Amino acid sequence: MTRVLSCIQPTGDVHLGNYLGALRNWVAGQHDKDVFHGVVDLHALTVTDRPGVVGQATLELAAVLFAVGLDPDVATVFVQSHVVEHSVLGWIMECQVSFGELSRMTQFKDKSAKREHDFVSAGLFTYPALQAADILLYDTDEVPVGDDQRQHIEITRDIAIRFNHRFGDTFVVPRAVLPKAGARVMDLQDPTAKMSKSAGSDAGLVYLLDDPAVIVKKFKRAVTDSDSEVRFDREAKPGVSNLLEILAACTGDTADALASRYSQYGPLKADTGEAVVELLRPIQTRYGQLMTDRGELQALLRKGAAKATAVAATTLERAKHNLGMLPG
Ligand code: TYM
């Protein structure tokens, strides 16, 4: 059976880009593939500087994962720090990737530039090595992600191939899987930048748990272009194209087909806002229900961690054995 792994960080609230680019596909794959999904709290530590935040964010994010439809009876949903193998293989991966390779990661360049006056941790730099460990621990075939993670999956492949070459066949070489529509949801106020938790303002971000009226308003105020032609052209018309692609992701139509149905921006904005509200409505209801029982959520995560550990421990042992480390 095809093995799938993908993870999300508990930093900031989950937004529409996370959902359309990743989470929705995680749910779609769960019945015919063996899926593992982690809330990667160790990754969040790269930018955590206040106590008492990460744990609460981890629990809320886990509730979102179940609310979007991951079924704990088939999907393995776990918290990264509950499976210690991630940290151990993370270190091993750091020793398999070069300083030069890590220096070329665009996410590191972007994030460290944005934190110009802030503390830039070494973890932010070595982050892709830990991500490689997340993926390789599960003998992963497919990694469903948004477009911004492509480079991290590419470096994971490079590390896996290098390790297998140096130390013998150890890791499955994974591949990234991107959705047809929604792989790169853009900020509604700045459609040349991806929708991102680290954006300067919230006005262009649609959160999964935003109130329906707020969602409609954010779409109404979305930045479009100076002329008034509705056409799908990401280069020339980034704002309109972003709306068309979001609507396409909601309805299953193509962006081009949708474009031909509109002659004005107003109705396109209104329909896209409504479509997103309807898409998110059941998720918001389930989230509310799940958050009333934190004990049950934690029990589900313990069950997930146990299943994840069983797989991860086997892979880590294989890696240590092939490296020739002394057994304990
Ligand atoms: P994170 O937490 O930033 O995002 C989670 C997922 O959401 C996708 N995504 C988007 N997709 C479309 N449009 C957007 N604007 C958008 N913004 C975010 C991301 O591509 C991602 O799939 N490094 C990862 C977390 C991670 C991971 C892993 C992922 C750690 N280990 C192992 C896969 C496999 C991250 O920061 O994602």
Side-chain angles (χ1 to χ4, degrees):
M1 199 189 244
T2 304
R3 174 67 59 75
V4 172
L5 173 127
S6 197
C7 305
I8 180 165
Q9 290 197 72
T11 46
D13 293 333
V14 181
H15 57 68
L16 189 63
N18 298 132
Y19 182 59
L20 296 179
L23 305 189
R24 195 154 79 140
N25 287 345
W26 299 2
V27 175
Q30 67 182 337
H31 290 296
D32 38 42
K33 297 174 181 177
D34 187 17
V35 309
F36 287 73
H37 295 296
V39 178
V40 286
D41 55 347
L42 296 173
H43 278 96
L45 296 186
T46 58
V47 293
T48 297
D49 50 16
R50 279 187 296 141
V53 177
V54 83
Q56 175 67 17
T58 299
L59 191 77
E60 288 171 6
L61 181 51
V64 169
L65 297 190
F66 294 122
V68 298
L70 283 176
D71 173 354
D73 288 332
V74 293
T76 304
V77 177
F78 64 97
V79 176
Q80 185 185 32
S81 67
H82 297 176
V83 182
V84 292
E85 285 74 8
H86 287 254
S87 306
V88 182
L89 192 67
W91 175 256
I92 294 175
M93 295 294 105
E94 282 188 43
C95 301
Q96 301 301 322
V97 65
S98 73
F99 182 85
E101 283 172 307
L102 292 176
S103 307
R104 287 193 287 277
M105 294 292 111
T106 51
Q107 289 236 331
F108 172 71
K109 290 192 228 169
D110 290 351
K111 287 191 179 168
S112 53
K114 274 191 187 153
R115 300 178 66 80
E116 199 183 7
H117 303 294
D118 273 323
F119 183 76
V120 176
S121 67
L124 202 59
F125 183 67
T126 59
Y127 180 116
L130 182 58
Q131 180 160 349
D134 300 338
I135 298 169
L136 300 180
L137 274 175
Y138 295 90
D139 292 334
T140 304
D141 302 298
E142 294 180 357
V143 191
V145 281
D147 186 64
D148 63 344
Q149 292 300 316
R150 223 189 256 269
Q151 200 184 26
H152 287 163
I153 313 306
E154 216 29 66
I155 199 172
T156 300
R157 292 171 57 87
D158 293 345
I159 295 173
I161 292 166
R162 178 176 304 143
F163 191 103
N164 289 348
H165 182 72
R166 284 182 176 162
F167 302 108
D169 208 13
T170 308
F171 297 121
V172 172
V173 180
R175 64 185 184 89
V177 177
L178 275 67
K180 275 204 285 292
R184 196 169 177 80
V185 176
M186 309 307 272
D187 188 294
L188 298 184
Q189 288 300 314
D190 175 7
T192 59
K194 71 168 183 185
M195 190 175 283
S196 159
K197 294 169 190 167
S198 53
S201 130
D202 277 1
L205 265 85
V206 176
Y207 294 110
L208 245 58
L209 302 175
D210 265 347
D211 195 71
V214 172
I215 296 176
V216 167
K217 193 151 89 190
K218 284 180 176 173
F219 276 99
K220 265 197 188 132
R221 295 189 178 159
V223 166
T224 39
D225 318 280
S226 47
D227 66 50
S228 58
E229 189 193 0
V230 178
R231 175 163 58 87
F232 186 68
D233 180 342
R234 274 207 177 271
E235 293 295 311
K237 301 181 72 71
V240 172
S241 300
N242 190 37
L243 293 175
L244 286 167
E245 187 155 343
I246 292 172
L247 187 56
C250 294
T251 63
D253 294 311
T254 66
D256 279 318
L258 289 168
S260 66
R261 290 182 213 155
Y262 292 91
S263 55
Q264 286 174 307
Y265 294 158
L268 172 62
K269 290 180 182 180
D271 286 1
T272 309
E274 269 315 314
V276 169
V277 165
E278 290 315 318
L279 191 69
L280 301 185
R281 197 186 294 282
I283 298 173
Q284 298 190 344
T285 308
R286 276 198 299 270
Y287 177 83
Q289 291 159 353
L290 285 157
M291 282 305 284
T292 60
D293 193 347
R294 298 164 71 100
E296 171 63 11
L297 275 172
Q298 283 187 266
L300 292 176
L301 291 173
R302 272 196 294 276
K303 185 173 125 188
K307 276 167 74 186
T309 301
V311 178
T314 308
T315 315
L316 178 62
E317 267 320 303
R318 188 165 73 232
K320 286 164 80 174
H321 175 266
N322 290 358
L323 276 161
M325 296 177 86
L326 187 67

